[in-house]
Amino acid sequence: MKKLTDSYFDVVVIGAGVAGSCTARELARYDVSVAVLEADGDIASGATRANSGIVHAGYDPEPGTLKALYNARGSALYPAYAKELGFAYINNGSIVLAFSDEELGTVRELVRRAERNGIDGVRELSRAELREREPHVSRAAVGALFAPTGAICDPYEVAFSAAENAASNGVEFFFNEGVRTIRPIDDVRGKARFELVAESGARVRAAAVVNAAGAFADEINNQISSSKLRITPRRGEYCLFDTDMGDTFASTMFQAPSTAGKGVLMTPTVHGNLLVGPNAVAQSSKRDVSTTAEGLAFVLEAAKKTWPELSTRGMITNFAGLRASGESGDFVLGEPSDAPGFFNIACFDSPGLTSAPAVAIDIARAVAERLGAPMNESFDPMRAAEKPFALMSDDERARAIEADGRYGHVVCRCCEVTEAEIADAFRSPLPVNSLDTLKWRTRAMMGRCHGGFCSPEIVRIMARETNTPPERIDKRIAGSFVVESSRPDYTELCKRDHAVACGSGGGVAESADNAAFDVAVVGGGAAGIAAARSALANGARRVALIDREAKLGGILKQCIHNGFGLHRFGEELTGPEYAQREIAALEKSGATVFGGMSVLAVRAGGGASHEVIAVSEGGLRTIRADSVVLATGSRERGLGALNVSGTRPSGVFSAGSAQNFMNLQGCLPGKNVVILGSGDIGLIMARRLVSQGARVLGVYELMPYPSGLRRNIVQCLDDYGIPLHLGCTVTRLEGEGRLSAVFVSDVDPETNEPIAGTERRVACDTLLLSVGLLPENEVAKTAGIALDPVTGGALVDNDLETDVAGLFACGNALHVHDLVDHASAEGEIAGRAAALFGMRPHGGDGAASVLAGENVRYVVPQRISPNTDADDTVTLSFRVTGTIHKPRFHVEGIDGAGEVHPIKTAKTMVAVPAEMVQVKLKGVDVAPYSAVRVRAEGVGGAEGARPSPGSVPRKANGSDGGGAE
């Protein structure tokens, strides 16, 4: 990173938000030397980053104000600005909803105001027109305003692209250099009018200063001018939802302001998400961007006015930003009368993002006129922006990989970000100073898992590219280190492993293009390996196994604890040992393995062979197969899905990513650890952390019963004296850089909502999340496979065939397993069925439904194939809704007349939601019925003894003989 020294510049711009970055770019059009001093470590670290991303049409500002003038001008400039700089811009239109006659009057006034502001095309929509345009909108809406020029963008991307173009044209950027003081001076050369002292102590003289310091712009102005400013920071909180919900609304949906308030907006983002918010809360702090439980609850409840079906389902994160609101309600722009050469872009709240390009043009022109600066004839307005891999066509991807093999290595699977894109971020003239900078530049770690999958690998890449060990890599600001410590040779190992990978040249992937197979299996974990072997054992001649990692085994590779294989092999193994046994058997089977190959899509053949579209460092490949087995595994539920409030510090890990850092990279995540959730990986990590010298302060579980296996409660917690607290959850995080504490509250046993007044602070530097797994089915979606809303996996029959003929699913991609042995067994079923797909009838009418009855959460499969033979084994896998003592599991057949017939009853000592139950039947047992139902009953119903919040269950006895995936 470039160091600031005592120096002179013609112009100093204070702040690298959207206003400062756009102004720096416009100043580069003139023959002046320009420096941008930014207090934080990256572009757009303040109000710009946490922004709605709306390019406002211009109907809202009061006519005659600077906001009205520049909103209209800026909105008109955005299409050309986006084309020159290469940032995403979508003209999706804006809608303002009215829910009453009063609000309809407000809407009509806004239509008239739009005309006075010179905004074309704004009109009123009737109720019928509104519903035709936006079918998901609340039926309570009686009308709306429609503004066709409204649009959306990525605020960070706008600022970054403008700043990068400015840097390419000679503007110098200095980060972590906030301005301490500024004063007017008399320079002997007659040029410098101001002296600024930066955070480093460097003194910078300038002939002109542009004050674009966001919430701090008043403090800068007030050191120079007697025309004092006062900025009130207003916090706005947002909830961001997964891309699955991004098409809920086509336009940006506002609520008409009324006596009840301004409401909140709902909008698609340019990246396909759904954004909800913000509220507006005045506060004294100009740096506090923590979220609050009350604020987030308000945002979600207020948004239901627009879309009543909204819930927290699909939420991937929450965040807050500040708006720099001035006393006048308008922008403060240009030179104060008593400070020539000092130019304000202050009180730049909404519509500041929209107005920035137009304001930048006028401010830069005024600066140039003040300095008498000529035009810079060499200025290049075009920024050479590479199209993101996720948006490329197949041909574009093939060409990109041919030019740079790293494009074939997909690192972030949620957002399809490649190693090439991550490495290229370090080539920018603007430095990458933190993990979050890399996230914002590339979108890696911004998807539904929020870095749970990819952050360990991205840290390795960053360590290699910057020669920096991970304990010296910050998440966001100074002191937000990613891990506590790493092995001494960490960076050398990263470079060595990279050199080895580059030398492999993509391996066997070269032979995959247009190859034809009987069966293709996607995913090389336990279920996928078993499926490939089973397909070959049941008559398939050519079987392909495709895995994104170079080495097979999936999650098993990092599970170095024992507890695997007792069912399958009759002995306890570690995860790597279990994987190696399966891999060794696979090598003897004759399967063709494509390692280091990421599957992007499966294109269903519609009766012909299916196409698996994949990339590796060897190129883009199409693998054809008569049938395909999806064994794509699962992902961990992240912090964003829990809607936890507070700050966004480092030190928060999914249990699996912490396991990766420890077991595969030799890093210690932290010293004082709290674990949220009693899932098996979290329990095992508690033991692992203690063995490496960390303190585990406790495991906190929302439910009144543990969600992990009983053996892991005993062996990982009880044996190490780690307390388990039931009926409570983490509700808030504390810490500016690194996590300093979590706040824990008891929950109501009926609603699972936190109980007011029970919150207590637990000091810690690390939080591990073990709050459940979700089937990973992005590839399944590309094939049009229907998914079960309860399991998150495909809807399948007893052959594990989905509703798309010839496509099968198994393992954690189908539903989450507590024992890897069961996932392997399920893979064998899918592999066999896939091999026999062309040899036996499939599909047809008359499939029997499989129903989850009383006290049963779900059952897999969801239907029985009408082609099931009488002696075929039908395995029903299910979970109960709560703890049941001495349960009886009843499998019942329901005939065409609705009569219920007992088929089978099974029993055990106890059933808990953490442990999957299986009942095996024969085809003949289910043949007569149109539906099969599974229900459970026993002592305590589906609850059993409910411990009070915070209590710890008695130590379990014995072992169930399983290990966690």
Side-chain angles (χ1 to χ4, degrees), residues 131-468:
R131 287 203 59 79
E132 183 179 2
R133 185 176 290 274
E134 298 289 354
H136 292 112
V137 73
S138 170
R139 293 186 177 274
V142 296
L145 170 152
F146 176 62
T149 56
I152 53 177
C153 66
D154 179 335
Y156 179 90
E157 193 179 1
V158 176
F160 172 70
S161 60
E164 191 171 63
N165 182 245
S168 298
N169 281 287
V171 175
E172 297 186 60
F173 284 77
F174 300 92
F175 295 95
N176 298 314
E177 289 289 8
V179 174
R180 292 182 187 172
T181 61
I182 178 173
R183 67 185 182 94
I185 61 170
D186 292 321
D187 188 87
V188 293
R189 294 183 297 170
K191 292 184 68 175
R193 293 187 177 93
F194 306 96
E195 182 182 72
L196 303 88
V197 178
E199 196 63 41
S200 63
R203 296 178 181 273
V204 182
R205 292 173 296 114
V209 171
V210 177
N211 174 24
F216 297 90
D218 57 346
E219 298 177 24
I220 299 297
N221 172 84
N222 295 348
Q223 295 182 57
I224 290 295
S225 175
S226 60
S227 298
K228 303 302 183 186
L229 299 178
R230 182 175 181 271
I231 288 176
T232 299
R234 295 188 183 277
R235 185 180 71 249
E237 294 164 271
Y238 295 87
C239 297
L240 184 69
F241 291 81
D242 200 354
T243 51
D244 288 348
M245 301 171 66
D247 61 355
T248 304
F249 297 103
S251 296
T252 298
M253 309 297 288
F254 295 93
Q255 298 170 354
S258 69
T259 54
K262 289 193 69 172
V264 302
L265 64 85
M266 301 184 75
T267 183
T269 72
V270 292
H271 303 298
N273 300 91
L274 176 68
L275 181 65
V276 178
N279 56 354
V281 180
Q283 62 182 40
S284 59
S285 172
K286 295 183 177 183
R287 294 191 179 277
D288 182 7
V289 288
S290 59
T291 56
T292 65
E294 298 78 14
L296 295 172
F298 168 82
V299 165
L300 289 169
E301 189 59 34
K304 289 180 181 178
K305 187 176 181 181
T306 298
W307 186 34
E309 289 76 21
L310 179 69
S311 69
T312 57
R313 185 179 180 89
M315 188 185 300
I316 61 174
T317 193
N318 63 60
F319 62 91
L322 296 181
R323 287 167 257 175
S325 299
E327 293 178 301
S328 72
D330 202 1
F331 297 153
V332 175
L333 303 176
E335 295 171 290
S337 59
D338 59 350
F342 180 85
F343 297 82
N344 274 313
I345 307 178
C347 305
F348 207 56
D349 56 357
S350 181
L353 174 65
T354 308
S355 304
V359 168
I361 290 171
D362 283 1
I363 292 292
R365 182 187 298 118
V367 171
E369 289 174 356
R370 171 64 67 183
L371 300 183
M375 299 299 293
N376 175 12
E377 300 300 332
S378 64
F379 175 79
D380 182 0
M382 305 303 294
R383 172 175 168 264
E386 296 291 338
K387 181 185 284 190
F389 183 81
L391 301 180
M392 291 180 184
S393 67
D394 285 353
D395 288 343
E396 289 171 328
R397 287 173 170 176
R399 289 195 295 270
I401 299 170
E402 184 177 3
D404 184 344
R406 295 175 302 174
Y407 273 102
H409 177 201
V410 178
V411 176
C412 172
R413 66 182 79 174
C414 296
C415 297
E416 291 188 347
V417 181
T418 67
E419 182 182 356
E421 292 168 292
I422 294 170
D424 283 350
F426 295 97
R427 312 282 99 81
S428 170
L430 302 174
V432 175
N433 297 322
S434 69
L435 199 61
D436 273 8
T437 300
L438 202 57
K439 176 175 75 173
W440 284 92
R441 301 275 176 92
T442 67
R443 299 208 74 246
M445 303 174 286
M446 273 197 174
R448 58 187 55 85
C449 82
H450 245 63
F453 268 142
C454 60
S455 58
E457 186 170 3
I458 291 172
V459 168
R460 281 201 298 268
I461 295 172
M462 189 168 183
R464 183 189 78 216
E465 294 290 328
T466 63
N467 199 35
T468 305

Side-chain angles (χ1 to χ4, degrees), residues 382-705:
M382 305 303 294
R383 172 175 168 264
E386 296 291 338
K387 181 185 284 190
F389 183 81
L391 301 180
M392 291 180 184
S393 67
D394 285 353
D395 288 343
E396 289 171 328
R397 287 173 170 176
R399 289 195 295 270
I401 299 170
E402 184 177 3
D404 184 344
R406 295 175 302 174
Y407 273 102
H409 177 201
V410 178
V411 176
C412 172
R413 66 182 79 174
C414 296
C415 297
E416 291 188 347
V417 181
T418 67
E419 182 182 356
E421 292 168 292
I422 294 170
D424 283 350
F426 295 97
R427 312 282 99 81
S428 170
L430 302 174
V432 175
N433 297 322
S434 69
L435 199 61
D436 273 8
T437 300
L438 202 57
K439 176 175 75 173
W440 284 92
R441 301 275 176 92
T442 67
R443 299 208 74 246
M445 303 174 286
M446 273 197 174
R448 58 187 55 85
C449 82
H450 245 63
F453 268 142
C454 60
S455 58
E457 186 170 3
I458 291 172
V459 168
R460 281 201 298 268
I461 295 172
M462 189 168 183
R464 183 189 78 216
E465 294 290 328
T466 63
N467 199 35
T468 305
E471 67 269 25
R472 289 174 48 203
I473 293 175
D474 286 321
K475 176 186 182 291
R476 184 173 64 87
I477 62 175
S480 60
F481 50 90
V482 174
V483 297
E484 177 66 32
S485 63
S486 66
R487 52 188 294 167
D489 56 352
Y490 184 93
T491 56
E492 287 73 18
L493 287 174
C494 290
K495 293 174 184 177
R496 186 199 68 187
D497 291 346
H498 176 65
V500 171
C502 289
S504 68
V508 294
E510 292 289 348
S511 64
D513 196 25
N514 293 312
F517 292 87
D518 299 319
V519 178
V521 179
V522 180
I529 294 173
R533 288 180 55 201
S534 177
L536 286 160
N538 284 279
R541 293 173 299 170
R542 297 201 66 198
V543 174
L545 176 60
I546 311 158
D547 193 62
R548 65 184 306 272
E549 297 184 14
K551 296 180 180 179
L552 299 182
I555 197 69
L556 291 167
K557 297 193 295 292
Q558 66 190 51
C559 298
I560 62 175
H561 54 279
N562 63 5
F564 300 88
L566 193 57
H567 290 268
R568 190 163 176 82
F569 298 114
E571 60 179 305
E572 285 197 275
L573 305 170
T574 66
E577 289 172 337
Y578 185 103
Q580 192 52 49
R581 286 207 183 181
E582 296 283 29
I583 292 167
L586 179 71
E587 290 173 348
K588 297 177 182 177
S589 70
T592 301
V593 176
F594 300 112
M597 182 178 282
S598 295
V599 172
L600 304 180
V602 172
R603 295 171 183 164
S609 63
H610 307 291
E611 293 182 342
V612 178
I613 312 301
V615 292
S616 71
E617 293 188 6
L620 185 141
R621 301 290 180 252
T622 300
I623 298 172
R624 304 179 191 281
D626 296 332
S627 57
V628 178
V629 178
L630 299 178
T632 49
S634 59
R635 61 180 172 87
E636 294 175 277
R637 192 185 302 271
L639 184 69
L642 308 180
N643 205 23
V644 174
S645 64
T647 56
R648 298 167 65 85
S650 66
V652 180
F653 301 84
S654 68
S657 63
Q659 187 181 60
N660 185 307
F661 274 118
M662 289 193 74
N663 296 349
L664 298 183
Q665 299 193 43
C667 299
L668 182 65
K671 292 180 179 178
N672 298 292
V673 185
V674 164
I675 297 177
L676 175 60
S678 58
D680 290 300
I681 299 178
L683 300 176
I684 290 160
M685 283 304 297
R687 177 177 63 186
R688 177 75 170 133
L689 283 159
V690 170
S691 73
Q692 295 302 302
R695 292 177 61 225
V696 177
L697 304 170
V699 175
Y700 295 83
E701 168 59 52
L702 177 75
M703 302 305 292
Y705 45 79

Side-chain angles (χ1 to χ4, degrees), residues 842-859:
H842 57 88
D845 298 327
S849 300
V850 180
L851 309 174
E854 183 183 9
N855 298 326
V856 174
R857 184 164 180 262
Y858 72 81
V859 186

